[in-house]
Amino acid sequence: MSEPEFGPPTNDPWKGFRGVVAGTLVLEAIVTLLALPVVATLGGGATWFSTTYIVALAVVMILAAGKQGEPWAMKLNLILQLFVLAGAVFHLSIGAVGLIFIAVWLYLLYLRRDITERIRRGMLPGQRE
């Protein structure tokens, strides 16, 4: 017995999800930039390399926020998390930011899977009408 076919949801659930993901990236970029004074004060001083690394990472996150409609966007988001985590070599506070946001991104992956499953089962508004 095959599963019944359902129509598409009345509202695009991916549009909202892309907005949440883009907003998360922008928020993470801001938090990453806010770590600069911590690195400068507590981390033995900001060097040109640490400052360039942190600022470049934040800029890439902001640019990636605009690419969330691409099929490879979530992979890019997860790779960026590895770079944030690698920032722990400059100061542990950046590593802590990385760990916190890795938890956020794992939750977003769970939500993406949940949305996909709900669409497949026809559980979203307008699919069973």
Side-chain angles (χ1 to χ4, degrees):
M1 186 166 117
S2 67
E3 282 191 39
E5 288 291 319
F6 301 109
T10 54
N11 295 327
D12 182 12
W14 297 116
K15 184 177 179 183
F17 183 76
R18 286 190 303 268
V20 169
V21 171
T24 302
L25 273 173
V26 171
L27 177 64
E28 187 174 10
I30 292 168
V31 172
T32 303
L33 287 173
L34 287 172
L36 269 175
V38 174
V39 172
T41 305
L42 302 176
T47 64
W48 68 270
F49 184 71
S50 64
T51 303
T52 303
Y53 183 89
I54 293 169
V55 170
L57 186 58
V59 168
V60 170
M61 285 180 193
I62 291 169
L63 293 175
K67 290 295 186 182
Q68 293 310 302
E70 302 294 335
W72 44 263
M74 189 56 83
K75 290 177 187 167
L76 173 63
N77 300 340
L78 297 174
I79 290 169
L80 286 173
Q81 300 318 299
L82 297 177
F83 281 100
V84 175
L85 199 57
V89 298
F90 303 120
H91 195 267
L92 289 179
S93 63
I94 297 177
V97 167
L99 287 175
I100 290 168
F101 275 98
I102 283 175
V104 171
W105 286 102
L106 288 174
Y107 181 65
L108 288 172
L109 284 173
Y110 166 76
L111 286 179
R112 184 176 75 161
R113 187 182 60 138
D114 186 54
I115 292 170
T116 302
E117 185 63 22
R118 286 174 183 256
I119 291 172
R120 188 185 68 75
R121 290 183 180 178
M123 295 174 62
L124 295 179
Q127 283 189 285
R128 294 185 184 246
E129 297 171 358

